[in-house]
Amino acid sequence: MEKDGFEQLKHQVEEWVREAEKLVHQIPQTQLYAAIGVVLLTIFFFLLVRLFKRAKPNTIVLTGLSGSGKTVIFYQLRDGSSHQGTVTSMEPNEGTFVLHSEINKKGKIKPVHIVDVPGHSRLRPKLDEFFPQAAGIVFVVDALEFLPNCRAASEYLYDILTKAIVVRKKIPVLILCNKVDKVTAHTKEFIRKQLEKEIDKLRASRTAVSEADVANEYSLGVPGEVFAFSQCQNKVTVADASGLTGEISQLEQFVREHVKA
């Protein structure tokens, strides 16, 4: 009996297939091709959306001059410790983790990929490895020893702000004034104004750009006007922090603004 039932089912399926073939042959070729095209386009857009969601940047790049406190801030973000004070790194510190301040939060919290790139001039080209997936750049400035390093910090920041990938992708930049817990530290407003003045001077001295550099650099600001960070195509903001005391709330706000939880 079971065999007879199977044979009946087989014949029924074969009949359905024959009927389906007849219907396909009855459809005009133009309509058939149009239907196939719609299906293929739907599949293509579905895969494109899935790929876009998967490739959404989640990297925050910490950079700045050596001694500015980047590595201490990295450890504060990761585990809430200052890592015993000053840390000099010659290799990037890198990790994907839930921010220490969010560990006890309820619900699903998205981990953040944090990269601390050493500030030594020979190691700065490593930045180019991380910019393609950067959701934000944090440029750390030593607010205590700012004036002696103002020129060098401005040149480094200028190079970042004129990088083609940073401008094209409009990667937001946070200038993080570290060590503000010290009495003699400069305010973030003072640091912002001084950096703008120095970058304005750099603009004037770098107007003659060779053809080889044109593809890799963008000009800053508005011609004929004094430079201000508000003129940048990507958003540039300034904030306070103290790596040693763990006061990094403005930095954490920046991180979560650009890497959604």
Side-chain angles (χ1 to χ4, degrees):
M1 287 292 292
E2 291 182 2
K3 186 176 180 181
D4 291 340
F6 176 76
E7 288 296 327
Q8 289 178 0
L9 180 61
K10 180 182 176 183
H11 289 311
Q12 183 65 59
V13 170
E14 289 174 347
E15 183 65 27
W16 287 341
V17 170
R18 283 193 293 271
E19 290 296 326
E21 288 176 344
K22 289 179 182 177
L23 288 172
V24 168
H25 288 304
Q26 290 173 5
I27 299 174
Q29 280 194 340
T30 53
Q31 291 183 19
L32 184 61
Y33 291 152
I36 293 171
V38 170
V39 171
L40 290 175
L41 277 173
T42 302
I43 293 171
F44 173 75
F45 282 117
F46 175 76
L47 293 174
L48 198 64
V49 169
R50 289 288 298 273
L51 181 65
F52 175 77
K53 286 182 178 179
R54 196 161 47 239
K56 195 170 183 179
N58 73 327
T59 298
I60 297 294
V61 179
L62 297 175
T63 190
L65 298 180
S66 296
S68 59
K70 300 181 301 299
T71 304
V72 172
I73 287 171
F74 174 87
Y75 285 111
Q76 284 285 8
L77 288 169
R78 194 186 73 174
D79 52 38
S81 75
S82 60
H83 205 68
Q84 298 182 356
T86 303
V87 180
T88 301
S89 57
M90 292 302 289
E91 287 293 330
N93 289 303
E94 187 175 356
T96 301
F97 47 82
V98 173
L99 300 181
H100 178 73
S101 63
E102 298 177 337
I103 288 176
N104 296 321
K105 281 189 175 182
K106 294 181 179 180
K108 188 177 180 181
I109 306 296
K110 185 177 181 180
V112 184
H113 183 214
I114 307 286
V115 182
D116 158 32
V117 181
H120 196 284
S121 57
R122 288 182 303 169
L123 302 175
R124 290 176 192 171
K126 283 185 174 289
L127 281 171
D128 295 333
E129 299 175 17
F130 303 108
F131 281 157
Q133 280 302 310
I137 300 168
V138 178
F139 187 83
V140 184
V141 175
D142 185 340
L144 193 62
E145 298 293 333
F146 171 68
L147 284 178
N149 298 305
C150 180
R151 179 72 179 185
S154 300
E155 289 176 345
Y156 190 8
L157 183 57
Y158 179 95
D159 290 339
I160 291 172
L161 293 175
T162 54
K163 278 191 176 291
I165 191 168
V166 174
V167 178
R168 285 201 308 265
K169 294 183 68 178
K170 294 186 178 180
I171 303 174
V173 176
L174 176 69
I175 300 171
L176 190 67
C177 305
N178 190 27
K179 307 180 184 180
V180 295
D181 55 299
K182 306 298 182 182
V183 177
T184 55
H186 296 286
T187 65
K188 67 179 182 182
E189 191 59 27
F190 175 83
I191 290 171
R192 180 188 64 78
K193 289 180 179 179
Q194 292 302 312
L195 288 173
E196 287 178 336
K197 286 180 182 179
E198 285 298 324
I199 289 176
D200 193 50
K201 294 176 186 176
L202 286 168
R203 273 200 318 166
S205 63
R206 297 192 185 186
T207 48
V209 180
S210 67
E211 290 184 6
D213 292 331
V214 169
N216 297 318
E217 287 198 347
Y218 279 72
S219 58
L220 284 180
V222 178
E225 294 185 17
V226 176
F227 174 74
F229 288 122
S230 59
Q231 299 167 349
C232 293
Q233 293 187 44
N234 51 324
K235 187 178 179 181
V236 180
T237 51
V238 186
D240 288 331
S242 173
L244 287 180
T245 64
E247 180 45 59
I248 55 170
S249 58
Q250 294 179 45
L251 167 60
E252 291 171 328
Q253 184 179 347
F254 173 82
V255 171
R256 274 307 170 208
E257 181 182 348
H258 301 290
V259 181
K260 302 297 183 183

